[in-house]
Amino acid sequence: METTYLMQGLHMRLEHWEPDQGECSHHDVFQIPAAWLTLFDVIFLILLIPLLSQVIYPVLDKHGFHCPLLLRIVLGMFFAVASVVMAGGLEVHRLDVLSRNNSLIEQVIGNTTYYAADVSIWWQVPQYATIGISEAFATVAGLEFAYSAAPKSMQSLIMGLFWMFTGIGSLLGTGFMSVVKAISPGWFPSEDSGNINMARLDIYFFLLAGVQFCCLLIFAPCAYRTWNAMQLVRLKQAQENASSGGSYHRSGRFVESIQYQTLT
């Protein structure tokens, strides 16, 4: 997904300049590398992880609005869909600017000349930032859920499987792109990667968002049923421990602790 983001960014204006009396000198031009935009993904991820774990989640818990791990994964999937929709909307705008202005900006990067639209690359920041928000919710919660739900003897294996299926997901994404390219070759650029202006990446982005949204619709009820099943099992364990006459039963704290765990 981010590979197509980078391809899109290379066909947007990479230079920011301040005109001086109607002319731009060499010193007025600042080149913005397209790969820099991926840093916003990492920056938002680094900032949000401590913010969520140390501020937002404790405040929600304090007010009785605990956010379960499975709900966090659903929220992360929603933000991933939103990011792709943003990319599709931006591509529609980029192509619209090209059709209205009928002019291209030639940008030489390495040995390739890219024919870009007069749209600032900074417009890609929201979609990269939303991906960072998605990872802060889904990836972190997925790791925590996989580790906490696994038996102690299988925690290392479960973590390995988690990352293995993450890699399989990347391979499936590449395969999906290849299938779409074979069915609708006009959606993707030709062998000349320096010009995607005759392609329809916007349709591909919206199709990808639709597939992700369908996965979200499938995952959400499954996550809800899993959460309910875990809740019933843990409450049953709480009742069994309470009936054994433990000290926690007499104080009531044990049952409260189990009820809180069911929400995670």
Side-chain angles (χ1 to χ4, degrees):
M1 183 169 63
E2 291 193 19
T3 303
T4 48
Y5 285 7
L6 180 61
M7 183 188 301
Q8 181 188 52
L10 291 171
H11 293 81
M12 300 171 69
R13 191 178 70 243
L14 301 180
E15 295 179 347
H16 171 74
W17 63 86
E18 295 293 337
D20 183 14
Q21 297 180 355
E23 296 182 356
C24 293
S25 65
H26 175 73
H27 299 286
D28 295 324
V29 178
F30 173 70
Q31 187 81 13
I32 304 173
W36 277 17
L37 274 296
T38 60
L39 293 176
F40 284 93
D41 175 2
V42 180
I43 290 172
F44 270 78
L45 184 60
I46 293 174
L47 293 177
L48 280 176
I49 288 177
L51 180 64
L52 289 171
S53 61
Q54 301 299 322
V55 179
I56 296 178
Y57 292 150
V59 170
L60 291 176
D61 292 342
K62 185 178 179 180
H63 291 83
F65 297 102
H66 185 72
C67 186
L69 292 175
L70 293 174
L71 177 58
R72 300 176 198 178
I73 298 175
V74 171
L75 289 174
M77 296 175 69
F78 172 79
F79 280 109
V81 174
S83 176
V84 183
V85 171
M86 290 179 185
L90 180 59
E91 184 65 13
V92 170
H93 174 64
R94 193 188 72 84
L95 294 175
D96 181 63
V97 170
L98 280 176
S99 62
R100 285 189 286 108
N101 296 345
N102 197 25
S103 62
L104 295 173
I105 300 175
E106 294 187 9
Q107 300 177 143
V108 180
I109 302 176
N111 297 323
T112 305
T113 300
Y114 294 91
Y115 298 92
D118 190 15
V119 179
S120 175
I121 194 175
W122 292 114
W123 284 104
Q124 279 196 314
V125 171
Q127 64 198 53
Y128 278 108
T130 309
I131 281 293
I133 297 173
S134 170
E135 292 179 355
F137 279 107
T139 305
V140 176
L143 283 169
E144 187 176 350
F145 179 79
Y147 187 81
S148 60
K152 289 185 178 180
S153 60
M154 297 184 63
Q155 286 178 342
S156 298
L157 175 63
I158 293 298
M159 296 299 289
L161 291 174
F162 179 89
W163 290 114
M164 183 187 75
F165 281 106
T166 300
I168 292 175
S170 298
L171 291 175
L172 290 176
T174 303
F176 175 75
M177 187 173 183
S178 299
V179 170
V180 173
K181 188 174 182 179
I183 297 175
S184 302
W187 290 10
F188 292 91
S190 60
E191 296 300 326
D192 180 14
S193 59
N195 191 348
I196 65 170
N197 299 310
M198 299 302 295
R200 296 306 305 270
L201 279 183
D202 53 337
I203 300 179
Y204 171 73
F205 283 134
F206 290 132
L207 174 63
L208 184 60
V211 172
Q212 290 180 321
F213 186 71
C214 290
C215 293
L216 173 59
L217 293 179
I218 295 172
F219 178 80
C222 293
Y224 180 74
R225 286 195 294 268
T226 301
W227 178 79
N228 276 337
M230 294 176 65
Q231 186 179 39
L232 291 174
V233 168
R234 288 174 175 174
L235 284 176
K236 184 177 180 180
Q237 292 175 348
Q239 293 172 354
E240 291 175 353
N241 283 277
S243 62
S244 64
S247 59
Y248 281 105
H249 169 60
R250 288 190 291 270
S251 64
R253 294 178 181 176
F254 181 81
V255 175
E256 291 177 1
S257 174
I258 292 295
Q259 288 176 340
Y260 178 82
Q261 290 178 16
T262 60
L263 297 174
T264 61

